[in-house]
Amino acid sequence: MRKKIVAGNWKMNTTVSEGVALAKAVAEKAEGLNNGVGLIVAPPFTHLVSVAEALKGSKVGLSAQNCADHEKGAYTGEVAVNMLVDAGCAWTILGHSERRQYYGETDEKLVVKVRLALDAGLGVILCVGENLDEREAGRHFDVVKAQVENVLFNFSAEDMKKIVIAYEPVWAIGTGKTATAAQAEEIHAFIRETLAAKFGKELAEETTILYGGSCKPSNAKELFAEKDIDGGLIGGASLKADDFIAIAEAF
Ligand code: PGA
């Protein structure tokens, strides 16, 4: 049985004290959650140490939103994987569409980052997804396939056990426009087939594939009911503990 996960990507939101309060509220409410869903929160870098402290002894895992593409040294403004581990992270998100779109994150760079993250002992949530033009041109399968192949096909089956994929159609992120459950399922199943062709069916069946893009309490149940959707990467709705937990309860 593959792992079900609901992860909250806080993006560039909250102050440290707000983040700590949010993390504490999530940790507290997570106590009542008994459906086997793994919870993860991904605050900004500046919050990690304090949020790690707030989450101590809870069921909630800590993730970064990005990491540097070098191990250490003269890379002003960057944060290395060993610093993330040291701060208490077990995970990092990589390849979010906002990083690809605004910060020039390429598949080539992601190969380096995923390698560094895995070698440091972090789990990786790798984001893929097409933009609106690509969807309207009917190119969504090709785009997602290329992202999966360009990055993940450089890794071994053993590495893949530490990697979660998040399918996030860019047109659905922060727009209130969710992919329908059928649209999401179609791509999730396709990603699984793509993985199976390279790594074998068993590994593909074991890989957790999350959906992200305007996922909220009112649509999570329908999305998570699909057989290839194993949870969500939640942006806006992860900033309210009640909504975030309600999404996790949707399983
Ligand atoms: P959203 O963001 O839930 O606010 O659409 C999801 C994401 O970008 O991870």
Side-chain angles (χ1 to χ4, degrees):
M1 262 287 277
R2 54 186 176 253
K3 186 93 189 97
K4 311 268 187 208
I5 293 175
V6 171
N9 175 12
W10 296 1
K11 308 191 179 184
M12 199 171 72
N13 292 298
T14 73
T15 60
V16 174
S17 59
E18 287 165 353
V20 166
L22 175 57
K24 280 187 179 156
V26 168
E28 200 182 295
K29 290 174 201 291
E31 287 304 312
L33 204 64
N34 287 311
N35 57 3
V37 178
L39 287 181
I40 297 171
V41 293
F45 287 138
T46 49
H47 303 26
L48 291 173
V49 171
S50 312
V51 170
E53 188 61 36
L55 293 178
K56 227 173 230 164
S58 81
K59 295 183 186 169
V60 184
L62 184 64
S63 176
Q65 298 174 13
N66 182 32
C67 71
D69 56 347
H70 292 276
E71 235 169 307
K72 66 172 186 173
Y75 301 100
T76 302
E78 292 294 310
V79 179
V81 285
N82 68 331
M83 299 172 187
L84 299 179
V85 172
D86 191 41
C89 289
W91 294 89
T92 185
I93 296 171
L94 286 173
H96 192 278
S97 63
E98 287 149 17
R99 299 233 36 105
R100 294 179 188 257
Q101 196 179 343
Y102 307 136
Y103 302 100
E105 191 110 302
T106 59
D107 286 339
E108 293 70 36
K109 218 168 232 188
L110 285 167
V111 174
V112 175
K113 291 187 176 194
V114 172
R115 180 76 273 151
L116 285 166
L118 294 178
D119 287 350
L122 292 170
V124 168
I125 301 172
L126 180 78
C127 305
V128 297
E130 80 286 356
N131 64 30
L132 186 60
D133 288 349
E134 292 161 343
R135 162 74 54 172
E136 284 177 345
R139 293 182 48 231
H140 39 297
F141 289 103
D142 291 345
V143 169
V144 169
K145 185 169 200 246
Q147 289 171 336
V148 168
E149 288 182 353
N150 291 346
V151 181
L152 295 178
F153 281 21
N154 294 287
F155 294 88
S156 68
E158 202 48 40
D159 290 331
M160 283 300 298
K161 292 182 183 161
K162 294 270 292 176
I163 298 174
V164 166
I165 299 172
Y167 168 60
E168 300 203 307
V170 180
W171 47 271
I173 295 178
T175 57
K177 237 193 230 179
T178 328
T180 63
Q183 278 174 323
E185 169 60 20
E186 180 177 58
I187 299 275
H188 281 234
F190 174 73
I191 292 172
R192 216 177 287 290
E193 270 168 41
T194 306
L195 294 177
K198 166 81 177 170
F199 299 105
K201 199 168 161 47
E202 201 178 321
L203 191 285
E205 283 300 324
E206 287 298 307
T207 303
T208 297
I209 308 178
L210 310 179
Y211 169 78
S214 300
C215 184
K216 43 189 181 255
S218 59
N219 59 26
K221 210 177 192 91
E222 200 187 340
L223 287 159
F224 298 170
E226 295 292 343
K227 83 176 183 12
D228 290 293
I229 302 181
D230 309 315
L233 180 56
I234 319 300
S238 72
L239 295 170
K240 288 199 184 116
D242 283 336
D243 285 356
F244 186 58
I245 295 294
I247 291 170
E249 281 170 346
F251 274 108

